[in-house]
Amino acid sequence: MRVRKTVLVAALSSLALLTGCGAADMTKQASPFANAQGSKTVTLSVQSWVGAQANVAVAQYILEHELGYRVDTVQVDEVPAWDALSQGRVDALLEDWGHPEQEQRYVKDKKTITDGGELGVTGHIGWFVPTYLAKQHPDITNWKNLNKYSHLFRTPESGDKGQLMDGSPSYVTNDKALVKNLKLDYQVVFAGSEAAQITQMRQFAKEKKPFLTYWYTPQWLFKKVPMTEVKLPAYKEGCDADPEKVACAYPHTPLKKYLNSGFAKNGGKAAAFLKKFEWTTEDQNEVSLMIADKKMTPEDAAKKWADSHKSTWKKWLS
């Protein structure tokens, strides 16, 4: 998302992998399986949003059922995940939304992390309003007209300003700077997690109330709550270089995978498989929808997807 802004297998299953709520920094709690020597174990970092969890669910299922590995998963916030990966506390990170400072430090300078290739999914963060509101007020989808409608978005949390709803403060976000630099009469209010944000959006949509939200694609919720993006000033390379001066839209980011360098070199079939793991936005949304909306366990969702997409995942094993 976006986008700059963990838990043993059994624990993740019990949480249904969809809340992202209270994501603790577990980088100090190294998995006993991470970077293990001479044993068929793999530790995957899993982020709090359901799209990333869908990646891990399917990778875990194939690693366990096709390659015979034991897989441990650890939930870590985005930036701490790079530290954990560099130090071998986790072996792989399957969805990164673009962290150039960490990439420079760990991939290019220290070489403790290896680029694992593209995930096959392009991510984009933006501001969205529900489509029913955009139909009522077509000009609301241009940022220049947002102040005209700020009164529609007032909440107890935003006071006399319009509310711009964000998810977790840990996500990649330029929103506070955008509101300030574009001179918008809005207050950024954090829901706290993806799950809390989804709950609020679905409630607003049920009551056909206005809302303006930071959101991202790909995301399964668009199938349940149609939303229209608000056009921000066009993104140009480098326009977001200074976090305090950002006044442009978010880029479209090909999402990437990263592996601990030791694991990338000595991880055998597991490392080779994760490097080849590449699927589509539609694939990810299919699994995400099963987990978050249909309330299937991640393992059941992964199995259902794998059973009907053998031609896709068999390429990852060749």
Side-chain angles (χ1 to χ4, degrees):
M1 288 211 262
R2 308 197 356 326
V3 111
R4 314 202 189 36
K5 284 251 178 242
T6 292
V7 304
L8 299 177
V9 177
L12 279 174
S13 296
S14 67
L15 286 174
L17 272 177
L18 63 93
T19 64
C21 194
D25 176 6
M26 297 182 65
T27 57
K28 301 304 182 184
Q29 301 179 28
S31 161
F33 309 119
N35 210 13
Q37 301 297 318
S39 58
K40 293 188 69 172
T41 58
V42 179
T43 298
L44 301 178
S45 173
V46 55
Q47 293 95 335
S48 63
W49 57 91
V50 73
Q53 294 159 358
N55 304 326
V56 172
V58 170
Q60 177 178 343
Y61 184 84
I62 302 300
L63 282 165
E64 291 182 341
H65 293 273
E66 297 296 326
L67 295 177
Y69 282 81
R70 176 171 179 172
V71 179
D72 183 36
T73 54
V74 182
Q75 189 172 347
V76 193
D77 283 342
E78 288 189 73
V79 173
W82 282 80
D83 298 327
L85 189 61
S86 173
Q87 296 165 17
R89 293 179 177 141
V90 297
D91 295 316
L93 169 67
L94 300 185
E95 182 174 310
D96 180 73
W97 280 70
H99 291 84
E101 291 184 6
Q102 281 68 32
E103 185 176 358
Q104 179 67 45
R105 179 182 303 123
Y106 295 122
V107 179
K108 298 177 181 178
D109 296 341
K110 293 187 175 182
K111 303 186 187 307
T112 53
I113 293 177
T114 296
D115 187 328
E118 293 189 1
L119 176 64
V121 176
T122 295
H124 174 60
I125 299 169
W127 293 359
F128 293 83
V129 294
T131 300
Y132 55 77
L133 183 64
K135 289 180 178 178
Q136 294 173 10
H137 306 286
D139 62 337
I140 205 171
T141 58
N142 188 310
W143 72 271
K144 294 180 180 179
N145 300 315
L146 285 177
N147 281 346
K148 173 182 173 183
Y149 294 104
S150 65
H151 64 283
L152 296 179
F153 303 107
R154 290 174 185 165
T155 67
E157 291 75 22
S158 66
D160 61 353
K161 297 179 180 292
Q163 174 176 284
L164 170 57
M165 180 167 50
D166 273 45
S168 168
S170 69
Y171 292 168
V172 175
T173 175
N174 298 325
D175 285 1
K176 288 185 176 181
L178 283 168
V179 167
K180 177 182 178 181
N181 296 329
L182 296 178
K183 296 179 172 57
L184 298 177
D185 192 26
Y186 285 80
Q187 176 73 38
V188 176
V189 177
F190 291 97
S193 69
E194 181 186 73
Q197 193 175 3
I198 288 174
T199 297
Q200 289 194 32
M201 284 190 282
R202 297 189 83 162
Q203 185 61 38
F204 281 133
K206 182 180 180 180
E207 300 173 7
K208 288 292 189 287
K209 289 184 176 180
F211 66 85
L212 173 66
T213 188
Y214 161 108
W215 205 229
Y216 34 84
T217 60
Q219 228 292 334
W220 65 271
L221 187 65
F222 286 103
K223 292 182 178 292
K224 300 294 181 178
V225 180
M227 288 181 273
T228 302
E229 186 169 5
V230 174
K231 185 177 181 180
L232 293 170
Y235 176 83
K236 296 181 181 179
E237 190 68 32
C239 70
D240 55 355
D242 187 337
E244 299 299 320
K245 297 181 179 180
V246 177
C248 61
Y250 293 91
H252 287 77
T253 305
L255 306 184
K256 299 186 71 172
K257 301 166 295 176
Y258 290 93
L259 279 61
N260 170 272
S261 292
F263 173 74
K265 181 179 180 180
N266 303 311
K269 291 182 178 181
F273 159 73
L274 292 173
K275 290 175 184 177
K276 291 182 178 180
F277 183 102
E278 183 174 343
W279 62 350
T280 66
T281 295
E282 291 72 24
D283 290 324
Q284 188 187 84
N285 278 339
E286 183 179 344
V287 179
S288 297
L289 189 66
M290 286 189 278
I291 296 173
D293 188 59
K294 297 183 179 179
K295 309 303 181 184
M296 294 176 64
T297 67
E299 182 176 11
D300 286 346
K303 182 181 187 304
K304 185 173 182 178
W305 181 88
D307 287 346
S308 59
H309 295 78
K310 291 184 179 180
S311 60
T312 299
W313 59 261
K314 283 187 178 295
K315 296 177 183 177
W316 306 337
L317 300 176
S318 61

